[in-house]
């Protein structure tokens, strides 16, 4: 009887193994999603602070890759000294009417002289004001970690985090521009919302 159980176990495992081998292969790279196209060309300004450039630039790199996948290839990059300088640049860029969106990226850390929460709060509020005054959407990847120490561990953690933020801000930018394009088209056509 024990032999029968063992034989059945072996047969069952042999039956499962070929099924697993014949299962569809998982692709090494998942298929690239199809993103909708825009009716009109889009132009985006990317304003990056140079404070902790080696960390913040990861956001720009991943943003540019993701935004191109979403059919936006006209991106102008601007660099400012720190995050505090981003809102004025964003406002001037919005007023040119050359850009359909503006993206801001920076890292605000506690420098010991001032409260970094104050700077971050001021920057975010100012970016919102620019957006509402000009009707040009402004997206923020200005991050304010509670703790940032100039150690390799923290640098590496935030470099990886900014890669993710770059992808997320590209997605938000493209989706918002698509939504606004659709909405403005409906308004121009007199279609009620």
């Amino acid at each position: 009887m024990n032999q029968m159980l063992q034989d059945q176990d072996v047969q069952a495992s042999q039956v499962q193994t070929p099924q697993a081998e014949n299962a569809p292969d998982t692709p090494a790279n998942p298929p690239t999603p199809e993103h909708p196209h825009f009716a009109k060309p889009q132009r985006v300004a990317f304003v990056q602070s140079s404070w902790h450039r080696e960390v913040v630039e990861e956001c720009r790199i991943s943003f540019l890759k993701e935004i191109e996948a979403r059919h936006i290839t006209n991106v102008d990059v601007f660099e400012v000294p720190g995050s505090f300088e981003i809102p004025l640049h964003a406002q001037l860029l919005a007023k040119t009417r050359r850009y359909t969106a503006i993206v801001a990226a920076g890292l605000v850390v506690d420098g010991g002289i001032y409260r970094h929460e104050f700077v971050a709060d001021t920057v975010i509020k100012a970016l919102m004001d620019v957006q509402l005054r000009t009707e040009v959407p402004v997206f923020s990847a200005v991050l304010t970690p509670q703790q940032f120490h100039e150690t390799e561990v923290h640098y590496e953690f935030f470099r990886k985090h900014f890669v993710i933020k770059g992808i997320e801000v590209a997605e938000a930018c493209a989706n918002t521009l698509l939504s606004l394009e659709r909405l403005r088209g409906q308004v121009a056509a007199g279609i009620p919302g």
Side-chain angles (χ1 to χ4, degrees):
M1 180 127 165
N2 284 337
Q3 183 63 31
M4 280 183 89
L5 288 175
Q6 289 175 349
D7 288 343
Q8 287 175 345
D9 291 341
V10 169
Q11 287 175 350
S13 68
Q14 288 173 348
V15 170
Q16 291 174 352
T17 304
Q19 286 176 347
E21 288 174 9
N22 293 333
D25 291 335
T26 304
N29 293 322
T32 305
E34 275 299 312
H35 298 293
H37 289 268
F38 293 89
K40 295 180 181 177
Q42 305 293 310
R43 183 177 209 97
V44 175
F46 189 94
V47 184
Q48 170 186 326
S49 73
S50 60
W51 187 257
H52 293 294
R53 181 183 292 118
E54 67 281 1
V55 175
V56 179
E57 72 184 358
E58 295 296 336
C59 182
R60 175 182 41 83
I61 293 164
S62 64
F63 171 83
L64 291 172
K65 183 177 179 183
E66 183 67 20
I67 205 73
E68 184 176 355
R70 292 172 178 274
H71 312 292
I72 299 175
T73 56
N74 294 319
V75 179
D76 295 334
V77 176
F78 301 88
E79 191 169 70
V80 297
S83 295
F84 200 73
E85 291 77 24
I86 292 173
L88 178 58
H89 279 72
Q91 180 171 295
L92 293 173
L93 290 167
K95 285 182 175 182
T96 69
R97 296 290 173 205
R98 287 186 72 201
Y99 300 99
T100 53
I102 298 166
V103 177
L107 179 63
V108 181
V109 299
D110 190 351
I113 298 170
Y114 54 83
R115 299 289 299 169
H116 64 291
E117 296 92 351
F118 167 77
V119 174
D121 189 47
T122 301
V123 170
I124 299 306
K125 284 180 180 177
L127 291 175
M128 181 57 77
D129 287 345
V130 168
Q131 174 173 254
L132 294 175
R133 271 195 311 274
T134 64
E135 295 185 8
V136 174
V138 179
F139 302 90
S140 176
V142 177
L143 304 184
T144 312
Q146 285 188 334
Q147 299 240 342
F148 179 83
H149 302 288
E150 296 198 21
T151 64
E152 191 52 42
V153 171
H154 274 207
Y155 276 112
E156 188 58 28
F157 173 83
F158 284 104
R159 279 200 275 293
K160 288 178 182 175
H161 192 62
F162 265 103
V163 169
I164 295 165
K165 286 297 165 194
I167 294 167
E168 290 175 349
V169 78
E171 179 182 5
C173 180
N175 289 344
T176 300
L177 289 175
L178 283 165
S179 177
L180 289 173
E181 187 176 71
R182 195 169 32 253
L183 178 62
R184 288 176 177 140
Q186 290 173 346
V187 169
I191 300 170

